[in-house]
């Protein structure tokens, strides 16, 4: 059953879905895997914060945001919004996840002059900090010496370091809100000296030349996205799990849950005590991260993702573990439980 059929059966209007745009972005492509445009209206938003705000205000039914990349780690903008230091997004919960294999291209305007042999040589320069620099796994399809500035999302730059440091070393990098926004900017360039790290889809949408393909450092480069929805409180979010699972996790394997908390940074073993709770209740951790608290320098908010789900009315090991965690930490917050979809892809 599609989500559209489910909502129609419940007598609900088809909802709006906000994603990090513009159209053709990787988030847009991930959104299309779970939301049929015949059943939903997909709305691009400029920033990740715009999506959180739209979900919080009930302006959309769902939001889709990038959360982490297998090569370059967490998307800090998203983590900071989950940290929610000003309590602006208290009704935003994670209800699903999506994975997208990401293969970057260098997009721009092909130079009219023929490339010289050394522009495609792919030589790397050893330095004291990097005596054995990684070699890129691909080379440009054409000369790139005319490129003076590259636009992309910070995550994309981090995923393509070997290629950039070899063929475009010293070229100015300009960070923008998304890879598709980068392509949109370069499409308007009249000097033909700008390039974007983006997708083949973006090249087609913006009529750009593909100067190089698959420039990411690793072939298994994958981005995980979170699907967000609004709930009045924790119990309401728990009650919606089965309906969400019918769409976002029917083929999933088990459950995952995300929480965050802070601790007394002056108490020896405080973090170890918090993590011990998960072992006590047999909950396997799948990731641990942190972000600055922005209240006291060098104090942190910790994020823990683990296998398992919250159940209603306080039942189950996860609820027991979270109750104990709340008693020994500060500001413990549950961000949602959802079906684990990684097992069928990468395990």
């Amino acid at each position: 059953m599609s989500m559209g059929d489910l909502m129609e059966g419940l007598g609900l209007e088809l909802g709006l879905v906000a994603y990090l745009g513009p159209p053709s972005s990787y988030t847009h492509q991930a959104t299309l895997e779970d939301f049929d445009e015949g059943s939903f209206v997909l709305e691009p938003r400029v920033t990740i914060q715009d999506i959180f705000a739209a979900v919080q205000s009930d302006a959309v039914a769902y939001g889709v945001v990038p959360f982490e990349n297998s090569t370059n780690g967490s998307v800090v903008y998203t983590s900071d919004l989950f940290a929610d230091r000003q309590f602006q997004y208290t009704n935003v919960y994670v209800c699903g996840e999506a994975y997208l294999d990401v293969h970057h291209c260098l997009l721009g305007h092909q130079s009219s002059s023929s490339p010289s042999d050394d522009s495609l040589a792919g030589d790397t320069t050893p330095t004291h900090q990097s005596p054995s620099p990684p070699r890129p796994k691909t080379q440009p399809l054409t000369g790139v010496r005319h490129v003076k500035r590259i636009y992309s999302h910070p995550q994309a730059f981090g995923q393509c370091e070997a290629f950039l440091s070899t063929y475009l070393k010293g070229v100015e990098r300009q960070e923008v809100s998304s890879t598709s926004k980068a392509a949109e900017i370069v499409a308007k360039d009249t000097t033909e000296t700008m390039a974007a790290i983006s997708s083949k889809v973006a090249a087609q949408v913006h009529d750009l030349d593909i100067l190089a393909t698959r420039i990411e450092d690793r072939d298994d480069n994958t981005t995980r996205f979170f699907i967000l929805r609004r709930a009045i409180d924790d119990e309401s979010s728990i009650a919606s799990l089965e309906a969400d699972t019918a769409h976002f996790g029917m083929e999933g394997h088990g459950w995952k849950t995300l929480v965050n908390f802070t601790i007394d940074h002056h108490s020896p073993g405080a973090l170890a005590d918090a993590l011990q709770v998960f072992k006590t209740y047999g909950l396997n951790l799948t990731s641990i991260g942190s972000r600055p608290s922005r209240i006291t320098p060098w104090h942190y908010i910790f994020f823990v993702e683990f296998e398992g789900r919250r159940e209603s009315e306080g039942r189950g090991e996860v609820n027991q573990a979270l109750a104990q965690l709340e008693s020994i930490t500060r500001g413990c917050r549950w961000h949602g439980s959802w079906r684990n979809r990684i097992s069928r892809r990468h395990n």
Side-chain angles (χ1 to χ4, degrees):
M1 177 184 293
S2 71
M3 194 61 167
D5 293 336
L6 178 63
M7 294 182 71
E8 185 176 353
L10 295 173
L12 302 174
E13 294 184 5
L14 300 183
L16 303 178
V17 182
Y19 67 89
L20 181 62
S24 79
S25 68
Y26 291 114
T27 309
H28 186 202
Q29 295 174 48
T31 302
L32 289 170
E33 289 193 0
D34 281 299
F35 296 96
D36 181 5
E37 287 188 286
S39 302
F40 289 88
V41 177
L42 308 187
E43 291 190 341
R45 299 297 170 106
V46 176
T47 68
I48 297 172
Q49 184 173 8
D50 292 339
I51 299 168
F52 271 73
V55 174
Q56 173 66 29
S57 65
D58 213 15
V60 298
Y62 296 97
V64 183
V65 296
F67 183 68
E68 66 175 337
N69 176 263
S70 60
T71 301
N72 205 45
S74 299
V75 179
V76 295
Y77 303 120
T78 306
S79 295
D80 280 339
L81 290 165
F82 277 120
D84 196 17
R85 302 170 183 89
Q86 304 301 319
F87 304 102
Q88 295 175 287
Y89 309 111
T90 56
N91 301 114
V92 176
Y93 292 85
V94 182
C95 65
E97 65 180 8
Y99 291 84
L100 182 73
D101 294 329
V102 175
H103 300 298
H104 294 298
C105 297
L106 184 69
L107 310 181
H109 305 280
Q110 188 170 333
S111 175
S112 57
S113 60
S114 300
S116 60
D117 292 340
D118 62 343
S119 69
L120 302 180
D123 292 332
T124 55
T125 304
T127 64
H128 179 71
Q129 292 80 9
S130 181
S132 300
R135 294 183 63 86
K137 58 186 182 61
T138 188
Q139 67 176 29
L141 301 174
T142 183
V144 293
R145 288 187 176 277
H146 63 292
V147 175
K148 305 301 181 186
R149 181 182 299 170
I150 310 170
Y151 291 84
S152 200
H153 188 275
Q155 278 276 336
F157 284 127
Q159 296 162 28
C160 304
E161 278 296 343
F163 180 89
L164 295 175
S165 62
T166 300
Y167 296 107
L168 294 160
K169 188 173 184 178
V171 174
E172 178 185 352
R173 302 181 188 183
Q174 185 68 49
E175 296 181 355
V176 293
S177 59
S178 69
T179 57
S180 55
K181 183 64 176 179
E184 183 180 278
I185 292 171
V186 172
K188 300 175 182 178
D189 170 38
T190 58
T191 67
E192 299 188 348
T193 61
M194 298 179 183
I197 299 175
S198 195
S199 66
K200 283 187 177 180
V201 174
Q204 296 168 354
V205 169
H206 297 288
D207 193 27
L208 289 168
D209 296 324
I210 297 178
L211 308 181
T213 61
R214 300 180 76 98
I215 66 173
E216 65 279 357
D217 293 342
R218 294 181 57 91
D219 288 326
D220 58 359
N221 190 45
T222 305
T223 296
R224 177 163 68 132
F225 301 83
F226 275 162
I227 301 168
L228 311 177
R229 68 170 299 161
R230 187 181 190 278
I232 297 173
D233 52 29
D234 287 3
E235 281 297 324
S236 297
S237 183
I238 294 170
S240 70
L241 285 178
E242 297 305 327
D244 292 326
T245 299
H247 183 61
F248 302 124
M250 291 184 67
E251 300 179 17
H253 299 268
W255 295 82
K256 288 196 288 191
T257 292
L258 177 68
V259 297
N260 76 321
F261 56 85
T262 188
I263 57 172
D264 181 354
H265 282 66
H266 298 290
S267 176
L271 180 57
D273 290 342
L275 297 180
Q276 178 65 37
V277 171
F278 298 98
K279 182 177 181 180
T280 299
Y281 288 94
L283 301 173
N284 184 45
L285 305 189
T286 56
S287 71
I288 305 174
S290 66
R291 294 294 299 151
S293 69
R294 297 185 184 175
I295 297 174
T296 303
W298 318 120
H299 284 204
Y300 298 90
I301 297 172
F302 296 96
F303 288 87
V304 174
E305 189 176 332
F306 59 92
E307 294 175 349
R309 59 161 288 187
R310 288 193 71 175
E311 298 181 41
S312 60
E313 300 177 354
R315 299 191 304 268
E317 291 83 0
V318 171
N319 278 308
Q320 295 176 48
L322 293 184
Q324 184 173 340
L325 192 66
E326 289 176 359
S327 70
I328 61 174
T329 63
R330 300 174 178 176
C332 183
R333 179 170 168 184
W334 173 67
H335 290 288
S337 298
W338 63 93
R339 290 303 295 266
N340 178 12
R341 301 173 82 178
I342 193 173
S343 296
R344 60 192 176 92
R345 291 176 52 88
H346 297 293
N347 288 0

